[in-house]
Amino acid sequence: MAVSQFDRVADFLKLPADIRERCKWPKRIITVTVPIRRDDGTTEVFFGHRVQHHLTRGPVKGGLRYHPDVNVGEVAALAMWMNWKCALLDLPFGGGKGGISCNPSEMSDGELERMTRRFTMEMIPFIGPEIDVMAPDMGTNEQTMAWIMDTYSTHSGHLVPSIVTGKPISLQGSAGRTRATGHGVAFLSSIALSKLGIKEESATAIIQGFGNVGLYTAVTLASYGVKIIGISDASGALWSQDGIDIHALRAYVSDHKVISGFPAAESIDPNEMLTRKCDILAPCAVGGVIHASNAGRLDCKILAKGANGPTTPDADLIIEKRDDILMIPDILCNAGGVTVSYFEWVQNLQRFQWTEKEVISKLETKLHATFEQVMSYAAKHKLPKRMSAQAIAISTVANAKSTRGLFP
Ligand code: GLU
């Protein structure tokens, strides 16, 4: 998907063949074995990957994912998207992504800690605050980042907070980082609502996913007065035309781990939920959930792509032709996380802490300006929004590469 998107945009930009090849391939692909002692005394070997898409504009930046489906191809695609995301937001980073193929829900905290520390040790020759800065992604969280920072700092002989972002606040994490991705999805959706002349208090939203992104998308949209009528996670989907009480659902999930069984809403089919009528549809879970067979049946006015790659290329072709849907591309829509990661890295390098108000206001300013830039580039060049965002990003990277020149 990432490569076919790249080719389409590179054709539009008429990128010269040499620059095109240099922009397309990752700089480094690192695969390591991660042996750990399980709690039952046996030894298990996991496979970990890190792809560094390029270092032309600064250290690579991006998450570390723990999921059974992780493989090097997926990680490479996600690194390429991170690369475009950082360039689009004009952050001084290349794109990186990493992952370990494992099922974190079946591992104890001790096993997760040993796996994270061993993976970090294996990565030490390839990472650093000026080389590669990891962050949370699917299946990882601020505790994972704390273990990475501790392992790296112990190895260095001094505290190096800038080695990861998305750390706990007590360890020089940034205020606002936990909610940043979902906050950005909701904030951009509200800008899209105002473009369409829809008032927040009369708007409805369907959110797929109740992990970090889905949760804070729901919390922020609800705080704007938007009614959350549908929400799903891996356990099922909930529906209430009167609106789901997100705070009550959050409390239910902290006791029951999943949304299914929440008494104050009806249980519905999670796939069918995606095609129900709403103003904002926000897929905030895994990739590829909107495809050729459901894209034509979407009944939303705004498609806010909180997940990375939630629509397949076939679905994109269908959605592009539908002028009844305003689509917010993923590399913009979910960029709140990496933007506040950048703020965290800057704060760490300066040994300084900003307030949550400062962080969120800087985040909103950056997201709003980039949204307008994507919209006007799309209008000027008659492009779909996704291509517009990618074209801005890829030309930023291509310009940096051609101006730096080719070594030697
Ligand atoms: N994993 C997040 C993403 O896909 C955040 C990356 C970061 O903060 O570096 O954008």
Side-chain angles (χ1 to χ4, degrees), residues 283-399:
C284 297
V286 288
V289 293
I290 297 169
H291 35 74
S293 37
N294 62 5
R297 288 183 289 118
L298 298 184
D299 198 358
C300 59
K301 300 196 176 88
I302 295 162
L303 177 60
K305 292 185 176 179
N308 289 312
T311 53
T312 62
D314 287 352
D316 283 333
L317 293 176
I318 296 168
I319 296 164
E320 281 164 15
K321 293 199 190 84
R322 291 191 53 178
D323 49 18
D324 55 337
I325 296 182
L326 198 172
M327 198 273 283
I328 311 173
D330 49 1
I331 59 168
L332 166 63
C333 195
N334 68 30
V338 71
T339 303
V340 176
S341 275
Y342 164 60
F343 297 156
E344 182 173 329
W345 182 71
V346 167
Q347 291 170 78
N348 292 158
L349 294 176
Q350 297 177 333
R351 294 289 194 269
F352 197 75
Q353 295 266 263
W354 303 346
T355 63
E356 179 148 2
K357 207 167 154 216
E358 281 174 281
V359 169
I360 297 297
S361 117
K362 286 185 204 307
L363 169 67
E364 292 183 349
T365 305
K366 215 167 193 6
L367 289 177
H368 198 160
T370 311
F371 180 94
E372 296 299 345
Q373 190 190 5
V374 169
M375 293 296 142
S376 55
Y377 192 96
K380 183 169 167 203
H381 298 280
K382 300 197 177 24
L383 285 179
K385 310 290 180 295
R386 183 183 54 73
M387 270 190 83
S388 161
Q390 289 173 347
I392 296 169
I394 292 169
S395 56
T396 300
V397 177
N399 284 342

Side-chain angles (χ1 to χ4, degrees), residues 150-231:
D150 183 68
T151 307
Y152 188 87
S153 299
T154 303
H155 177 84
S156 305
H158 57 95
L159 181 72
V160 189
S162 51
I163 185 60
V164 280
T165 59
K167 297 177 292 293
I169 299 278
S170 58
L171 292 174
Q172 299 178 36
S174 176
R177 175 62 185 86
T178 310
R179 69 179 167 107
T181 311
H183 184 87
V185 175
F187 173 74
L188 291 169
S189 302
S190 85
I191 294 178
L193 281 176
S194 67
K195 293 255 174 234
L196 299 179
I198 304 170
K199 291 215 161 35
E200 289 163 335
E201 310 75 55
S202 64
T204 56
I206 295 176
I207 299 169
Q208 183 192 43
F210 205 59
N212 177 274
V213 184
L215 166 65
Y216 287 100
T217 300
V219 167
T220 308
L221 281 176
S223 76
Y224 296 156
V226 175
K227 212 190 279 174
I228 316 296
I229 52 175
I231 195 147

